């Protein structure tokens, strides 16, 4: 994620991922040890919360209002994954202190039917302005799905395939995401949620990141330890950020 690494003054630890919106600052820091552990530090309205999370930091995003915090870590030990790794995604409601360290129990509908699979993984949550609707990636049996979910109703539905690490635009009408392409492995795209039309962005290099919206017309992302931006309509060219 853009500007992912920083320092937290109180913790004195490097944030592998950081996100700040709506008066909330969230830091996901790696902790030494076996198995790998991470610490989630969330500061809002002068109050700090700390939670241990098993795994290696991967993604982190705060909702536009600052109320909801979501994260993804890589974890090991899941027998269904022959590579030895899978993802685990959690959500924290800072207003109610409701902590869901894994969203894998959310009822998921794919092609109109409730979906069950032992290898189901979720990652890359992005929240809407109402702090209930969210989008994420679900993966199972070699296919990635874009899901739309309701936090309060606790249900999710797959909308389309081949969408990873979505990020909702400020007006809630578009999603920036990475798509598997050839030779790839990924290219940044923007999806219009009303028409489901995809627009490839003018970044030819493969980007493995959950992009952020710098404004209504510009997408930011990390690449090769640098920060970049590109127009969200497919025009222009990438620009390195200071």
């Amino acid at each position: 994620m853009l500007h992912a690494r920083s320092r937290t003054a109180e913790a004195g630890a490097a944030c592998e991922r950081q996100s700040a919106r709506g008066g909330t600052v969230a830091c996901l820091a790696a902790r030494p040890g076996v198995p790998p552990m991470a610490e989630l530090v969330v500061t809002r309205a002068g109050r700090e919360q700390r939670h241990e999370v098993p795994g290696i930091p991967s993604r982190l995003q705060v909702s536009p209002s600052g109320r909801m915090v979501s994260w993804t870590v890589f974890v090991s030990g899941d027998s269904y994954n022959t590579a030895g790794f899978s993802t685990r995604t959690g959500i924290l409601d800072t207003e109610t202190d409701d902590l869901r360290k894994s969203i894998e129990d959310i009822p998921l509908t794919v092609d109109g039917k409730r979906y069950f699979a032992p290898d189901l993984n979720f990652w890359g949550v992005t929240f809407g302005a109402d702090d209930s609707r969210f989008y994420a990636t679900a993966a199972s049996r070699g296919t990635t799905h874009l899901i739309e979910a309701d936090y309060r109703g606790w249900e999710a539905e797959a909308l389309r395939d081949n969408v990873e690490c979505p990020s909702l635009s400020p007006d809630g009408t578009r999603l920036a995401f990475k798509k598997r392409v050839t030779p790839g492995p990924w290219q940044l795209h923007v999806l219009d949620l009303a028409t489901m039309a995809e627009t490839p962005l003018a970044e030819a290099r493969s980007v493995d990141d959950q992009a952020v919206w710098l404004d209504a017309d510009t997408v930011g992302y990390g690449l090769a330890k640098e920060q970049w931006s590109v127009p969200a309509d497919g025009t222009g060219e990438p620009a390195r950020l200071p």
Side-chain angles (χ1 to χ4, degrees), residues 7-141:
R7 303 286 297 184
T8 54
E10 291 96 353
C15 298
E16 295 296 324
R17 294 290 182 266
Q18 186 181 49
S19 181
R21 301 175 81 182
T24 296
V25 177
C27 166
L28 195 59
R31 290 287 179 255
V34 179
M37 295 291 296
E39 183 179 41
L40 175 69
V41 182
V42 179
T43 305
R44 178 173 173 82
R47 179 189 177 213
E48 182 182 87
Q49 296 187 56
R50 293 173 179 266
H51 300 282
E52 284 193 344
V53 180
I56 301 169
S58 174
R59 304 286 183 237
L60 179 67
Q61 194 168 106
V62 176
S63 70
S65 73
R67 173 174 173 172
M68 311 300 291
V69 179
S70 62
W71 65 93
T72 299
V73 294
F74 287 110
V75 295
S76 59
D78 290 331
S79 60
Y80 56 76
N81 193 320
T82 56
F85 291 93
S86 65
T87 61
R88 189 153 299 145
T89 292
I91 294 174
L92 170 67
D93 183 338
T94 65
E95 186 171 299
T96 65
D97 290 341
D98 181 33
L99 175 66
R100 299 174 185 259
K101 287 193 174 183
S102 174
I103 66 170
E104 291 182 4
D105 65 339
I106 192 168
L108 174 63
T109 299
V110 179
D111 296 328
K113 299 179 180 179
R114 176 72 187 277
Y115 187 83
F116 299 93
D119 69 339
L120 189 59
N121 282 290
F122 296 89
W123 67 84
V125 168
T126 182
F127 268 95
D130 65 356
D131 287 324
S132 185
R133 178 174 57 105
F134 68 89
Y135 298 89
T137 299
S140 177
R141 298 170 182 168

